[in-house]
Amino acid sequence: GQQLNQSPQSMFIQEGEDVSMNCTSSSIFNTWLWYKQDPGEGPVLLIALYKAGELTSNGRLTAQFGITRKDSFLNISASIPSDVGIYFCAGSYSGGGADGLTFGKGTHLIIQP
Amino acid sequence: DAGVIQSPRHEVTEMGQEVTLRCKPISGHNSLFWYRQTMMRGLELLIYFNNNVPIDDSGMPEDRFSAKMPNASFSTLKIQPSEPRDSAVYFCASSSSPTTDTQYFGPGTRLTVL
């Protein structure tokens, strides 16, 4: 099956710092999604990207759909304690929600006060 | 509006027993997905349904796993017989395809097989 390589695996940062993580794929996706998972909960959608080159923001979060359609990044500016969690990228081949998602292994974000 | 509902939240069973996980998707959503999450393999798609019809079950690990969706508001994932390696968190997600790829996840069922 297709694989998503997500990096870094974990990040230890100070509160207030900016965060950057990315995903690369061995093949093209039509949709990139970024999710956050808190302990004991299911993943929650943060940002959805539908077009190559698209740059989308959601508050302090910014994500981009790579031009090659094989990569995406997520940035978090001015991190705060509630940003702690696991961030997953996910890709879809279909353009209409008719396929399951392929997930990266996740980036564990740990914030030191 | 209620989100995706899964039950039970936790299940502990002994090897060889039958396990049934349940999911109620968001009302109006016509696609339903079952995922499994483990430390080693991350989140993996097991099977998904569109309009109650199974579309792709290639992710189901083996014949011990089966899933049904008898109507638009209910789905089950059954493992019979269960094995210790089935221990994982099982998530159900739904979406309102074909208008969006956005999938909304339930809180998951943590399964432990002893």
Side-chain angles (χ1 to χ4, degrees):
Chain A
Q2 300 302 325
Q3 291 189 346
L4 285 184
N5 296 309
Q6 186 171 349
S7 64
Q9 285 188 326
S10 59
M11 301 183 72
F12 294 81
I13 64 168
Q14 299 284 337
E15 183 178 349
E17 287 185 16
D18 295 342
V19 173
S20 184
M21 60 191 79
N22 66 80
C23 267
T24 58
S25 169
S26 56
S27 58
I28 290 171
F29 284 120
N30 292 323
T31 301
W32 282 96
L33 305 168
W34 285 92
Y35 285 85
K36 181 187 180 216
Q37 186 177 24
D38 292 326
E41 302 293 332
V44 174
L45 182 71
L46 298 174
I47 291 179
L49 302 159
Y50 297 105
K51 199 162 56 173
E54 180 181 355
L55 184 71
T56 298
S57 293
N58 178 8
R60 294 177 297 105
L61 278 61
T62 301
Q64 185 160 30
F65 192 143
I67 288 291
T68 65
R69 293 164 63 193
K70 292 184 177 183
D71 64 307
S72 177
F73 72 74
L74 174 71
N75 287 342
I76 306 173
S77 63
S79 59
I80 59 177
S82 62
D83 292 334
V84 167
I86 306 176
Y87 292 79
F88 292 97
C89 61
S92 168
Y93 297 102
S94 78
D99 281 341
L101 298 173
T102 300
F103 279 84
K105 290 291 179 65
T107 294
H108 293 241
L109 180 60
I110 299 164
I111 298 176
Q112 300 164 331
Chain B
D1 191 14
V4 175
I5 299 172
Q6 291 187 248
S7 65
R9 290 295 308 272
H10 303 273
E11 177 81 30
V12 180
T13 190
E14 293 188 344
M15 183 173 64
Q17 296 297 307
E18 178 180 296
V19 174
T20 298
L21 311 181
R22 298 173 176 80
C23 175
K24 176 178 168 57
I26 293 173
S27 178
H29 282 192
N30 60 337
S31 291
L32 183 140
F33 308 81
W34 282 100
Y35 292 88
R36 179 172 66 175
Q37 185 176 38
T38 61
M39 288 294 293
M40 290 298 295
R41 300 175 68 88
L43 271 160
E44 301 175 286
L45 176 69
L46 299 177
I47 185 172
Y48 69 93
F49 298 81
N50 283 341
N51 297 314
N52 312 338
V53 176
I55 302 300
D56 184 355
D57 65 354
S58 60
M60 297 285 260
E62 45 198 275
D63 292 344
R64 297 184 297 107
F65 285 69
S66 62
K68 294 182 179 180
M69 192 165 185
N71 57 64
S73 59
F74 183 66
S75 177
T76 59
L77 178 67
K78 186 177 294 187
I79 309 172
Q80 166 64 17
S82 58
E83 296 182 2
R85 60 192 168 127
D86 301 331
S87 298
V89 181
Y90 291 81
F91 289 103
C92 175
S94 70
S95 74
S96 57
S97 68
T99 58
T100 177
D101 280 301
T102 302
Q103 295 182 16
Y104 296 87
F105 283 75
T109 295
R110 180 173 294 277
L111 173 65
T112 303
V113 183
L114 303 174

